[in-house]
Amino acid sequence: MDNATHLPPPTWQHGGVTPATHSTLFPQVPESADAVLDGLDPEQRAVATALHGPVCVLAGAGTGKTRAITHRIAYGVRAGILQPASVLAVTFTNRAAGEMRGRLRQLGAGGVQARTFHSAALRQLQFFWPKAVGGELPRLVDRKIQLVADAAAASRLRLDRGELRDVTAEIEWSKVTQTVPGDYAAAAHKAGRETPRHSAEIAQIYGDYERLKRDRGVIDFEDVLLLTVGILQDRRDIAEQVRAQYQHFVVDEYQDVSPLQQRLLDLWLGDRDNLCVVGDASQTIYSFTGATPDHLLNFRTRHPSATVVKLVRDYRSTPQVVNLANGVLARAKGRAAEHRLQLISQRDAGPEPVYAEYADEPSEAEGAARRIRELISSGVSAGEIAILFRTNGQSEIYEQALADAGVPYQLRGAERFFERAEVRKAGHSLRAAARFGGNDAGLDAAVDLPSQVRAVLSGEGWTTQPPAGSGAVRDRWESLAALARLAEDFARAKPSATLADFVAELDERVNAQHAPMVEGVTLASLHAAKGLEWDAVFLVGVAEGMMPITYAKTDEQIEEERRLLYVGVTRARRHLGVSWALSRSPGGRANRRASRFLDGLRPGSTGPAGRGAGGGRGGVEHGTRPTDDAVWEPPAGARRRGDRKVARCRVCGGTLDAAEMKLMRCEDCPSDMDEGLYERLVEWRARTAADLGQPAFCVFTDKTLIAIAEAAPDDERELSRVPGVGRRKFRSYGSDVLAICAGQAVGDEADDVAGDD
């Protein structure tokens, strides 16, 4: 599915010099075709000038691949070799496509189509449907989870919210791998998929889902590709019309192409070979969606005459970061590993990566927040810092730690920047002011553009100083401040720009989902961070069980987890922190260890990678700061109470101290907690606390949630017996908690059953 992303595109470099500043967001159009090639390194220039026949660009992280292919298209257009309307550049997200269109426009190659697979297919489907099928194209549903819920109900199967999303993902995987309901069970088994329900049940839901779509006259995003493929296969005249329009194809992130997308690409191409693909097998991290690097790895087999160019000069990261990235892949296995690229940093040396081990997850979050405050105090912008984790469920504890430290943050994957209420309202006000030459806002046309924009934003509540603390008020201020900074950048690049020009720029960015920088630390999953970069990155939770994640069992799954860590490391330009916790909760058993992927790379570890793995001295054993937090050790003996009120551990029968009574077991005794239930409770608590405007622990503490997840109460009596669930909290939250324990959606979550899929 096409997921438009919501943060600004990564800063890019000019062929090996320094990172771009804000002023390079609006460069001048090159004067000639040859000028388009200025600043490219030899390999990038080889890509830009290879305009005929099949071309395969193997591009490592941070090597300027987008720069290379956009300059390739622009050079071809400016030299008169390519006609703009005949070029179709395809990528995987609306943000990436928007960024590509923006760069092409800046290079004087406007008119080139840069779209996602789904967007390009949808345009063709809408145009040719009346001719090929007749009537209007069925309505496209952008969120399929409610349909899946209805299909499950039709199959008399009850799914909780998590299962609904997982089953939806299985249906999406089936469709992009061209698997029909009757073949699902065999295909899932062959692919080694961990199915959320019995495969026969998923196949039944999948079949009912397809039937419901037909009955309701709707299609989903995967159908857009399937139907386009069907029309191009069945109607030769339509296929020829498409091929007459598009003569030259460029595919970015080719390692993420699914079998269905490759089939569509083959139909677009026909018997021609004017194709340029760009990818890196070591960044294949979406196989669970049907993506496979096989098409990239087999490209030279399918096209023996292909021009192959490798981009390995890393302009993003320091030698220390690059060294660790190379080291992570040094022990990789499989086909992707055989084609890994050895990156060579082009930047000056920077600080060594910092490895930190903590007693528990709250301490790890507090440590990250503390180091982030130090970086901000040293001059690093909050917007140039990110905390990356394996699963979204890890986010809350870092949100709390940053809020407690007074550090602004933003959640990647949350509401799109241009869809935020304050941004939409500010946009309306700016348009109104531009229409009337600023007079309706009391603006003086002689005043510079940034001052005019600030005056309009002031009417929306923006102030020169940020509000104290965090939360919704701070988020709103950050959004408006991002618009003010964008106006300053725009005015520096185009001193004669008017308010109307700035509004036009905003409209371009809205269409491209090219959001300006919001000044807050980014919290994101490793998957969501793909394609982005920051000056400082904190990789957290890098422990066995999370990296690689527990359910990664096969060699292929383990290797994808390794590649995911590699992607995380290569998001950092200069500062990189890697941390893990020995236990989940304070005082818990310290039974975790650092990820196996760090063996031989971090101080005190052993492994074949050893010192300098990946080439060069790097940042693996030299100059690494020791952990700031000594690992907490529980006291040798527990304090005992008087004989009359002794509390006993429900596992071993031992005497409990006050801190252990909430769990009714010794901290060292094994937990029988339902992890899934605990995660759902944590998500509910976060929403509830946000609605109340209170810290999460004011709803329930972590230990109380653990106790509830261990008890999994079925009724009010059992819930009331859980320590920490007093009478007041029982009245306030009891019904919600029992509903969650029963697998039901509650509050906003119930409304979200029709939400993201």
Side-chain angles (χ1 to χ4, degrees), residues 16-19 314-321 345-351 573-574:
V17 284
T18 56
D314 188 318
Y315 299 107
R316 174 187 300 161
S317 305
T318 63
Q320 288 73 14
V321 173
S345 176
Q346 305 298 297
R347 294 194 57 178
D348 293 336
R573 298 192 193 108
R574 180 172 175 81

Side-chain angles (χ1 to χ4, degrees), residues 27-171:
Q28 298 299 313
V29 175
E31 295 181 356
S32 64
D34 288 341
V36 172
L37 302 177
D38 290 346
L40 299 181
D41 69 28
E43 294 78 24
Q44 292 170 345
R45 181 179 285 259
V47 173
T49 54
L51 296 173
H52 301 286
V55 178
C56 180
V57 182
L58 302 176
T63 57
K65 67 179 179 63
T66 305
R67 176 175 172 78
I69 58 175
T70 52
H71 280 67
R72 177 181 187 271
I73 296 170
Y75 177 69
V77 169
R78 298 290 297 277
I81 300 171
L82 303 177
Q83 295 302 312
S86 72
V87 180
L88 178 59
V90 188
T91 187
F92 282 81
T93 66
N94 285 330
R95 180 199 57 78
E99 178 190 357
M100 193 176 292
R101 286 194 297 271
R103 293 195 189 187
L104 289 169
R105 189 173 69 247
Q106 293 160 3
L107 292 169
V112 173
Q113 292 291 309
R115 296 187 174 277
T116 64
F117 271 101
H118 285 89
S119 174
L122 182 59
R123 281 169 61 88
Q124 294 174 21
L125 193 60
Q126 290 169 330
F127 184 81
F128 291 113
W129 183 269
K131 178 179 179 180
V133 181
E136 292 186 1
L137 181 69
R139 180 175 63 87
L140 176 64
V141 292
D142 58 350
R143 301 172 186 269
K144 60 172 67 71
I145 202 165
Q146 184 59 58
L147 268 172
V148 176
D150 293 344
S155 302
R156 297 187 177 183
L157 295 171
R158 181 178 177 182
L159 306 180
D160 62 26
R161 189 189 187 202
E163 287 176 320
L164 271 175
R165 289 190 172 182
D166 290 343
V167 171
T168 298
E170 289 302 298
I171 291 174

